[in-house]
Amino acid sequence: MATQALAVNGAKVYIVGRTEEKLRTVADTHGKGISGQIIPVTADITSKQDILRLAQDIEKREKCLCILINNAGIQATGKLTPAGENAEEFRDNLFHHEGQEFDNWASEYKTNVAQCYFMTAAFLPMLQRATEHQKGYSGTVINITSISGIVLKSQGHFSYNASKAAANHITKMLAAEISNKGIKIRINAIAPGVYPSEMTAGESKDNQKSELPKEKYGHLPSERPGNDRDMANAILFAVTNQYLNGQIRAIEIN
């Protein structure tokens, strides 16, 4: 969604992931007949070595990086229903539920939180050069987090919601620390509600797009889940609004 929003408006977009075939499908399917470009680059953003290699690769290709979007996210622990007739049943439901393991919690944190930190840190020099290159505009980072990091209910996945809350907070901390040092780079987060993705829909089609049944969301004012246009509006707002820094922007309907 973010890739198309930028590319159709003329941006050269490097899309990064571990699976080259999926990346090429996105570029071939959505990169034709537009004013921008979609360029696949293979890397593992949960590896410091791969992140450094990626930063060096982009630095060889471009004089600056105007926008960095950290969009990786996983849900590894499965879904549970917090319930029980007494404390013992509630304990067993939380503690012994399949998937509730330390390794799964750590895996989610690694992908949902730590990569935002390491990716942002690695690309700071190129983002700063974007600010210097275009007077009046600053290099910017957008972390795609989730409404799950804001709501108080667990939604059946404590670890995922906790990781997204941490991603929101690391967005604020990075924005504050970088700004306090006089480095003119804006860092914000977009916290989507229910949008179609491989994680929410459980799969994606051949064009790397996912779908959610519209009928399930008839109670919403929109009468549907979020779509590409809704996300594009949020992305373009965060990219272009030069007075936005350290903010978490939820795009969700209650």
Side-chain angles (χ1 to χ4, degrees):
M1 295 181 183
T3 295
Q4 285 180 272
L6 296 172
V8 298
N9 282 285
K12 181 191 290 186
V13 182
Y14 291 93
I15 53 173
V16 179
R18 286 179 288 194
T19 309
E20 184 177 4
E21 182 182 356
K22 289 183 177 181
L23 297 175
R24 293 208 170 276
T25 297
V26 172
D28 293 341
T29 305
H30 304 292
K32 296 176 181 177
I34 59 176
S35 56
Q37 296 175 261
I38 301 175
I39 303 169
V41 180
T42 306
D44 178 2
I45 49 76
T46 64
S47 162
K48 284 185 71 175
Q49 291 176 327
D50 248 28
I51 289 174
L52 280 176
R53 179 184 60 79
L54 174 64
Q56 291 165 357
D57 181 22
I58 300 300
E59 198 163 20
K60 290 176 183 176
R61 304 186 192 204
E62 308 292 342
K63 58 187 173 185
C64 65
L65 180 68
C66 299
I67 305 161
L68 172 65
I69 298 180
N70 294 316
N71 190 41
I74 63 168
Q75 205 275 313
T77 58
K79 192 166 185 176
L80 59 82
T81 302
E85 294 298 322
N86 52 52
E88 286 75 16
E89 288 184 10
F90 214 102
R91 174 203 61 195
D92 291 344
N93 192 3
L94 297 182
F95 194 88
H96 296 298
H97 193 279
E98 183 180 0
Q100 294 301 316
E101 302 291 344
F102 274 96
D103 286 347
N104 289 339
W105 278 66
S107 177
E108 289 186 4
Y109 192 91
K110 184 178 183 181
T111 300
N112 298 350
V113 186
Q115 65 89 13
C116 293
Y117 172 86
F118 286 110
M119 283 288 288
T120 301
F123 281 96
L124 283 176
M126 288 198 74
L127 290 161
Q128 176 62 29
R129 287 200 288 275
T131 301
E132 296 166 352
H133 173 69
Q134 186 68 44
K135 184 175 175 59
Y137 290 86
S138 56
T140 188
V141 179
I142 302 173
N143 293 323
I144 306 298
T145 60
S146 174
I147 195 68
S148 295
I150 299 174
V151 298
L152 297 180
K153 292 185 178 180
S154 71
Q155 301 173 306
H157 31 69
F158 283 86
S159 55
Y160 178 80
N161 288 26
S163 73
K164 289 301 183 179
N168 285 337
H169 194 55
I170 206 165
T171 297
K172 295 178 181 180
M173 288 192 294
L174 284 169
E177 294 290 356
I178 289 169
S179 177
N180 288 342
K181 298 300 183 293
I183 300 172
K184 294 177 176 57
I185 297 170
R186 296 182 300 109
I187 303 177
N188 297 289
I190 293 174
V194 180
Y195 281 74
S197 69
E198 279 193 355
M199 189 171 65
T200 57
E203 62 180 1
S204 60
K205 297 185 294 184
D206 291 341
N207 64 355
Q208 292 303 302
K209 291 285 187 180
S210 301
E211 292 183 356
L212 290 171
K214 187 176 179 181
E215 303 76 26
K216 186 178 178 181
Y217 303 95
H219 62 286
L220 299 176
S222 62
E223 298 184 336
R224 59 167 175 77
N227 62 25
D228 288 13
R229 293 186 302 277
D230 301 320
M231 181 61 72
N233 285 336
I235 291 291
L236 296 176
F237 170 73
V239 165
T240 57
N241 191 316
Q242 298 300 305
Y243 210 65
L244 191 73
N245 190 38
Q247 302 301 307
I248 314 299
R249 283 288 175 259
I251 42 174
E252 157 79 344
I253 296 177
N254 293 321

